[in-house]
Amino acid sequence: MDIKAFSGKLRDISPKSVVLFVYKEDFRILSKLGRRYSSFIRKAFDLSGFKGKEGESEKFFFPDQKIKLVYVFGLGERKKLSTDTFRRVSALAVKKLKKDKVEETILLSPRISSLISQALAEGAVLGSYSFDRYKSKKEDFEIKEILVYNADQKSLEKGKILAETQNYTRDLVNQPGNVINPLTLAQEAKKLADSLDLECKIYNEKEIQEMGMNALWSVGKGSSTPPRFIHLIYKPEGEIREKIAVVGKGLTFDSGGLNIKPGDYMRTMKMDKAGACAVLGIMRAVALLKPSVEVHGLIGAAENMPSGSAYRPDDIIKAKNGKYIEIDNTDAEGRVTLADVLSYASELKPRRIVDLATLTGACMVALGEYTAGLFTNSKNFGEVFKKIAKDTGERLWELPLDDERLRRKIKKGPADVVNTGGRYGGAITAAMFLEEFVDKGIEWIHLDIAGPAWSKEDYGYYIQGATGFGVRTCVEYILRR
Ligand code: BES
Ligand code: MG
Ligand code: ZN
C-alpha cells in the first residue's frame, strides 16, 4: 500500500473515490467536493440522521459523475479529538475500503498536521493488518494507493514504517509455540539483523550458564528446546547522543512450569513473548529511521515447561548480578528470566533501560486489559514517556514503587529475594523484584503489557490477537532524544 501526500485541486486528478472525515455536526469539508456533491450529501444526512459521531459512516454512489464513490466517516466532537482519533478512524476507513475492494482513493481530513499525517498513515497500515498464514485460502486483495490531501509526506513515510513494524511484531506474536520457540526466535533476530545491518549476538544454553545467567537457564531448562539470549545492537553513524537498552520478556510459551496453569489460563500463552517481539520491532524501526542513539535490544528467550529437568518451587538460584532468588512459584517465571537480562543490560551502562513484559495477570486486574502498567525509578523519564504515549495512543498508567512495606513481601525467606509477593499488589511486587536487578543510577521504565499485548476482540486499529503494543511509543521516545 502506497500512502502519499497530495495537494492541489481535486479535479486535476479526478479520483474515482474519495474518503472524507468530518467533525460531529460540522460538515464544512464537504465543500471540497464542489457544490453539487456537498448539497446532495448534506440532504442525505438530514434524512438518515448521520451526525458524524466517531466511527459513524456513510457511503454514496454517483454513477454519472466523475467521483463515483464517496465515503464519509465521523471523527466525533471537534473539541474531544486526540491524535489517536485520526489513527482509529483511518483504520476503520481502510477496513471498509478493503471490504469493498477499492484499490485507490484520496483522503480528506478537516484537520491536518505532521502528527495527524503520521497518525493517518499508521491507522491505514494497522487497519489493513490480517493474520492469514494458516488459512489455506488467503485474502488476495490489497489497497494500492491512498493519497492524503495536504499531508506532510515525511510524516506519512514515518507513520508507514512505524505501523509496518508494529504489524511485523504482531505477526511474530501471533505465531504459535510449535513454530516460534527460543531457537527460531533467535533465528528470526539474526535474520532481522542481517537484513538491516544490525549487530547480533546469540548465546546458547552453554554460554548462558557460563555467563552466570542461571536464572534464565533455570526457567528454560525444563523444555526440550533450550533457552537463548539475544543481543542486538544499533549504532548510529555520526554523533551518539545517548545509549539506551530495550529489554523484552521472551517466553515463547508459558505453561506455568511445575506450578502448571489450568487449561483456560494456558490458552494464548504463546503471547508471553510479546515483549521480546516488541523489542525486535523496535530494533527494526530504529534501523530504518536511524536516530542518533545507540540502542541495545536484549531478549531472554525461553519456554516454561514442566518436566523432570524443570526448575522447582523452593529452588534457590544465583542471578547474573550475584543476588540469590528463591522460587516460590514457577509460574512467576518472566521476572526470573528478566533478572539476568536486566543485570546484563546494567553492565552495558546505558543511560536508560525500558523493559516490556507480559508480566502479571495482576496488572490486568488493576488496570483492565487495554492499559499497560508503567513503573519507573525516575520521575522525569516516566513523565516524558507518558507524554509521548499520549500521541501514540498507547494507554499507560503509572503504578507506584515506593511502598516499602509492600517491598518486604519479596524480601522474605532464605534468599535475597523471593519471586512472588502474594496476591495483593502483584503487579507492583513483580516490578519491585525487577528493580533488584537494575543498577542504581540507570533510569529505568518497566512496562507490564500483559493486558494490551493481546486482544480478545476487534477494537480501534486492532483485531483479535496480537497488537504489537509498545513498539510505537518506545521508538518515538528514542527518535525524540
Ligand atoms: N505470563 C504470565 C502473566 C500473564 C497473564 C500474561 C495473563 C498475560 C495474560 C506470567 O508469567 C504469570 O504467570 N504470572 C502469574 C504470577 C503469579 C504466579 C505470581 C500471574 O499473573 O498469575
Ligand atoms: Mg507464568
Ligand atoms: Zn509468563
Side-chain angles (χ1 to χ4, degrees):
M1 177 164 58
D2 268 344
I3 306 175
K4 284 194 216 124
F6 168 79
S7 43
K9 294 240 156 41
L10 267 195
R11 66 175 117 79
D12 294 343
I13 52 165
S14 56
K16 278 210 195 68
S17 79
V18 172
V19 175
L20 289 164
F21 288 0
V22 298
Y23 297 126
K24 187 170 171 220
E25 281 157 9
D26 173 354
F27 309 144
R28 279 175 290 178
I29 184 132
L30 287 173
S31 64
K32 291 267 182 228
L33 296 178
R35 272 251 297 290
R36 231 184 302 157
Y37 292 97
S38 107
S39 78
F40 178 89
I41 292 173
R42 277 172 191 278
K43 279 185 224 155
F45 284 166
D46 283 341
L47 288 174
S48 72
F50 177 93
K51 290 277 185 300
K53 285 183 276 183
E54 182 183 332
E56 215 183 341
S57 74
E58 294 217 7
K59 172 162 102 180
F60 300 94
F61 291 103
F62 297 96
D64 300 329
Q65 311 289 331
K66 268 203 179 140
I67 302 172
K68 308 271 178 230
L69 188 53
V70 175
Y71 291 90
V72 184
F73 286 86
L75 287 166
E77 253 174 76
R78 188 182 181 143
K79 273 178 278 165
K80 288 193 186 150
L81 297 192
S82 66
T83 316
D84 206 47
T85 313
F86 292 89
R87 198 176 284 114
R88 288 194 299 266
V89 176
S90 176
L92 203 76
V94 158
K95 281 184 195 174
K96 186 87 42 70
L97 294 173
K98 229 176 140 181
K99 204 162 139 239
D100 290 355
K101 304 212 183 310
V102 177
E103 285 192 332
E104 294 168 350
T105 197
I106 174 154
L107 169 66
L108 284 82
S109 165
R111 193 186 298 169
I112 195 84
S113 64
S114 52
L115 219 52
I116 292 172
S117 301
Q118 186 185 328
L120 291 171
E122 287 169 357
V125 174
L126 294 171
S128 66
Y129 179 77
S130 63
F131 183 69
D132 59 4
R133 198 163 298 193
Y134 300 102
K135 297 274 188 203
S136 308
K137 204 167 154 264
K138 311 256 186 268
E139 211 192 294
D140 50 5
F141 177 79
E142 229 193 293
I143 298 172
K144 283 212 188 95
E145 183 180 75
I146 299 178
L147 297 177
V148 188
Y149 188 71
N150 279 347
D152 174 57
Q153 180 65 29
K154 278 260 153 15
S155 303
L156 291 177
E157 283 163 21
K158 177 180 165 197
K160 186 161 178 257
I161 290 175
L162 284 171
E164 281 170 353
T165 302
Q166 187 169 345
N167 287 348
Y168 162 79
T169 294
R170 293 163 98 178
D171 258 342
L172 288 176
V173 178
N174 278 327
Q175 295 279 7
N178 62 325
V179 175
I180 294 212
N181 57 45
L183 307 188
T184 54
L185 187 65
Q187 280 164 12
E188 178 58 40
K190 182 84 176 51
K191 194 173 105 194
L192 179 76
D194 288 347
S195 68
L196 292 172
D197 243 355
L198 296 164
E199 279 175 56
C200 175
K201 288 183 262 179
I202 311 280
Y203 299 91
N204 66 25
E205 67 272 31
K206 188 162 159 269
E207 293 162 316
I208 286 171
Q209 291 169 79
E210 283 164 4
M211 289 156 81
M213 300 178 92
N214 301 308
L216 174 60
W217 164 242
S218 295
V219 171
K221 73 195 172 98
S223 167
S224 48
T225 315
R228 288 291 180 266
F229 174 56
I230 303 165
H231 183 178
L232 294 166
I233 307 171
Y234 163 77
K235 282 207 174 106
E237 266 169 23
E239 162 213 26
I240 298 180
R241 274 198 224 125
E242 187 173 319
K243 184 154 113 184
I244 293 187
V246 281
V247 168
K249 170 174 171 181
L251 267 290
T252 59
F253 189 72
D254 179 13
S255 70
L258 291 176
N259 292 102
I260 197 160
K261 286 180 186 292
D264 44 342
Y265 285 87
M266 204 185 294
R267 190 80 164 108
T268 73
M269 277 303 135
K270 64 173 185 180
M271 61 76 97
D272 215 16
K273 61 185 183 300
C277 300
V279 166
L280 292 181
I282 293 163
M283 296 310 290
R284 178 186 189 271
V286 159
L288 294 170
L289 297 168
K290 304 193 186 309
S292 303
V293 178
E294 182 175 316
V295 187
H296 293 260
L298 305 168
I299 293 167
E303 185 180 42
N304 188 21
M305 294 293 253
S307 77
S309 58
Y311 80 138
R312 321 158 185 76
D314 294 351
D315 280 2
I316 296 177
I317 303 157
K318 188 178 183 184
K320 186 167 181 21
N321 74 346
K323 289 191 185 173
Y324 287 96
I325 303 168
E326 186 194 24
I327 302 304
D328 170 61
N329 188 320
T330 61
D331 197 12
E333 82 299 333
R335 66 197 76 178
V336 179
T337 64
L338 289 168
D340 278 342
V341 184
L342 289 167
S343 303
Y344 181 100
S346 295
E347 285 175 21
L348 298 173
K349 303 214 173 301
R351 168 101 190 263
R352 296 189 172 92
I353 298 175
V354 181
D355 79 69
L356 302 104
T358 47
L359 205 62
T360 68
C363 197
M364 301 165 74
V365 173
L367 301 175
E369 64 261 60
Y370 311 108
T371 303
L374 179 147
F375 303 81
T376 185
N377 62 3
S378 157
K379 197 166 175 350
N380 181 261
F381 188 17
E383 291 308 320
V384 173
F385 203 87
K386 283 190 282 184
K387 208 180 234 151
I388 289 172
K390 280 261 174 283
D391 285 339
T392 62
E394 297 191 309
R395 293 181 56 88
L396 303 176
W397 198 258
E398 186 167 356
L399 294 170
L401 280 178
D402 64 350
D403 187 342
E404 296 309 322
R405 242 175 323 231
L406 194 56
R407 191 182 298 272
R408 276 187 234 146
K409 307 214 173 186
I410 57 155
K411 296 274 205 173
K412 283 184 185 156
D416 295 315
V417 273
V418 54
N419 82 329
T420 65
R423 219 154 76 79
Y424 300 126
I428 298 174
T429 47
M432 287 172 165
F433 179 96
L434 297 184
E435 198 178 7
E436 296 288 321
F437 302 91
V438 178
D439 278 3
K440 301 267 172 307
I442 299 175
E443 293 182 44
W444 160 71
I445 285 177
H446 158 55
L447 298 175
D448 192 331
I449 59 170
W454 186 263
S455 178
K456 285 201 211 92
E457 76 263 7
D458 298 359
Y459 68 92
Y461 34 83
Y462 297 135
I463 54 170
Q464 192 277 328
T467 60
F469 188 96
V471 171
R472 279 184 296 109
T473 306
C474 288
V475 175
E476 282 292 353
Y477 178 79
I478 292 167
L479 291 175
R480 293 188 201 179
R481 295 283 77 212

mmCIF file of all heavy atoms in Angstrom, residues 249 251 254 261 269 272 331 333-334 358-359, ligand 3:
data_model
loop_
_atom_site.group_PDB
_atom_site.id
_atom_site.type_symbol
_atom_site.label_atom_id
_atom_site.label_comp_id
_atom_site.label_asym_id
_atom_site.label_seq_id
_atom_site.Cartn_x
_atom_site.Cartn_y
_atom_site.Cartn_z
ATOM 1 N N LYS A 249 10.627 -9.521 27.609
ATOM 2 C CA LYS A 249 10.337 -10.865 28.113
ATOM 3 C C LYS A 249 10.020 -11.760 26.917
ATOM 4 O O LYS A 249 9.134 -11.459 26.127
ATOM 5 C CB LYS A 249 9.148 -10.827 29.085
ATOM 6 C CG LYS A 249 8.626 -12.213 29.471
ATOM 7 C CD LYS A 249 7.539 -12.173 30.545
ATOM 8 C CE LYS A 249 6.896 -13.542 30.745
ATOM 9 N NZ LYS A 249 5.821 -13.562 31.761
ATOM 10 N N LEU A 251 9.094 -15.333 26.651
ATOM 11 C CA LEU A 251 8.612 -16.686 26.924
ATOM 12 C C LEU A 251 7.809 -17.151 25.709
ATOM 13 O O LEU A 251 6.687 -16.696 25.491
ATOM 14 C CB LEU A 251 7.770 -16.705 28.203
ATOM 15 C CG LEU A 251 8.512 -17.027 29.506
ATOM 16 C CD1 LEU A 251 8.943 -18.491 29.548
ATOM 17 C CD2 LEU A 251 9.714 -16.126 29.714
ATOM 18 N N ASP A 254 4.292 -20.163 27.920
ATOM 19 C CA ASP A 254 4.299 -20.216 29.383
ATOM 20 C C ASP A 254 3.204 -21.162 29.866
ATOM 21 O O ASP A 254 2.043 -20.790 29.976
ATOM 22 C CB ASP A 254 4.082 -18.794 29.949
ATOM 23 C CG ASP A 254 4.043 -18.785 31.475
ATOM 24 O OD1 ASP A 254 4.431 -19.807 32.089
ATOM 25 O OD2 ASP A 254 3.632 -17.744 32.048
ATOM 26 N N LYS A 261 -0.404 -24.128 34.832
ATOM 27 C CA LYS A 261 -1.622 -23.319 34.709
ATOM 28 C C LYS A 261 -2.809 -24.221 34.381
ATOM 29 O O LYS A 261 -2.659 -25.187 33.634
ATOM 30 C CB LYS A 261 -1.463 -22.315 33.545
ATOM 31 C CG LYS A 261 -0.548 -21.145 33.802
ATOM 32 C CD LYS A 261 -0.487 -20.232 32.564
ATOM 33 C CE LYS A 261 0.533 -19.118 32.704
ATOM 34 N NZ LYS A 261 0.183 -18.102 33.711
ATOM 35 N N MET A 269 -1.019 -18.377 25.841
ATOM 36 C CA MET A 269 0.292 -18.091 26.426
ATOM 37 C C MET A 269 1.449 -18.131 25.420
ATOM 38 O O MET A 269 2.601 -17.934 25.764
ATOM 39 C CB MET A 269 0.573 -18.998 27.623
ATOM 40 C CG MET A 269 -0.070 -18.460 28.889
ATOM 41 S SD MET A 269 0.464 -16.772 29.271
ATOM 42 C CE MET A 269 -1.077 -15.998 29.677
ATOM 43 N N ASP A 272 3.229 -14.787 25.416
ATOM 44 C CA ASP A 272 4.106 -14.369 26.509
ATOM 45 C C ASP A 272 5.480 -13.904 25.997
ATOM 46 O O ASP A 272 6.344 -13.522 26.782
ATOM 47 C CB ASP A 272 4.255 -15.532 27.511
ATOM 48 C CG ASP A 272 4.354 -15.058 28.945
ATOM 49 O OD1 ASP A 272 4.017 -13.882 29.206
ATOM 50 O OD2 ASP A 272 4.780 -15.850 29.806
ATOM 51 N N ASP A 331 5.466 -20.308 38.002
ATOM 52 C CA ASP A 331 4.694 -19.556 37.008
ATOM 53 C C ASP A 331 5.033 -18.057 37.047
ATOM 54 O O ASP A 331 4.649 -17.311 36.155
ATOM 55 C CB ASP A 331 3.191 -19.783 37.229
ATOM 56 C CG ASP A 331 2.349 -19.392 36.026
ATOM 57 O OD1 ASP A 331 2.934 -19.155 34.944
ATOM 58 O OD2 ASP A 331 1.117 -19.325 36.174
ATOM 59 N N GLU A 333 7.689 -16.764 36.175
ATOM 60 C CA GLU A 333 8.969 -17.048 35.516
ATOM 61 C C GLU A 333 9.543 -15.855 34.764
ATOM 62 O O GLU A 333 10.755 -15.741 34.606
ATOM 63 C CB GLU A 333 8.792 -18.233 34.545
ATOM 64 C CG GLU A 333 8.213 -17.888 33.158
ATOM 65 C CD GLU A 333 6.822 -17.271 33.187
ATOM 66 O OE1 GLU A 333 6.084 -17.543 34.139
ATOM 67 O OE2 GLU A 333 6.495 -16.500 32.272
ATOM 68 N N GLY A 334 8.678 -14.970 34.309
ATOM 69 C CA GLY A 334 9.152 -13.850 33.485
ATOM 70 C C GLY A 334 10.150 -13.004 34.238
ATOM 71 O O GLY A 334 11.233 -12.684 33.747
ATOM 72 N N THR A 358 4.984 -9.139 29.364
ATOM 73 C CA THR A 358 3.643 -9.618 29.721
ATOM 74 C C THR A 358 3.796 -10.293 31.075
ATOM 75 O O THR A 358 3.803 -11.503 31.172
ATOM 76 C CB THR A 358 3.144 -10.618 28.665
ATOM 77 O OG1 THR A 358 4.219 -11.557 28.400
ATOM 78 C CG2 THR A 358 2.779 -9.936 27.363
ATOM 79 N N LEU A 359 3.936 -9.466 32.113
ATOM 80 C CA LEU A 359 4.456 -9.982 33.374
ATOM 81 C C LEU A 359 3.408 -10.538 34.335
ATOM 82 O O LEU A 359 3.620 -11.587 34.924
ATOM 83 C CB LEU A 359 5.284 -8.891 34.073
ATOM 84 C CG LEU A 359 6.342 -9.417 35.033
ATOM 85 C CD1 LEU A 359 7.377 -10.268 34.300
ATOM 86 C CD2 LEU A 359 7.030 -8.291 35.785
HETATM 87 ZN ZN ZN B 3 4.748 -15.611 31.769
#
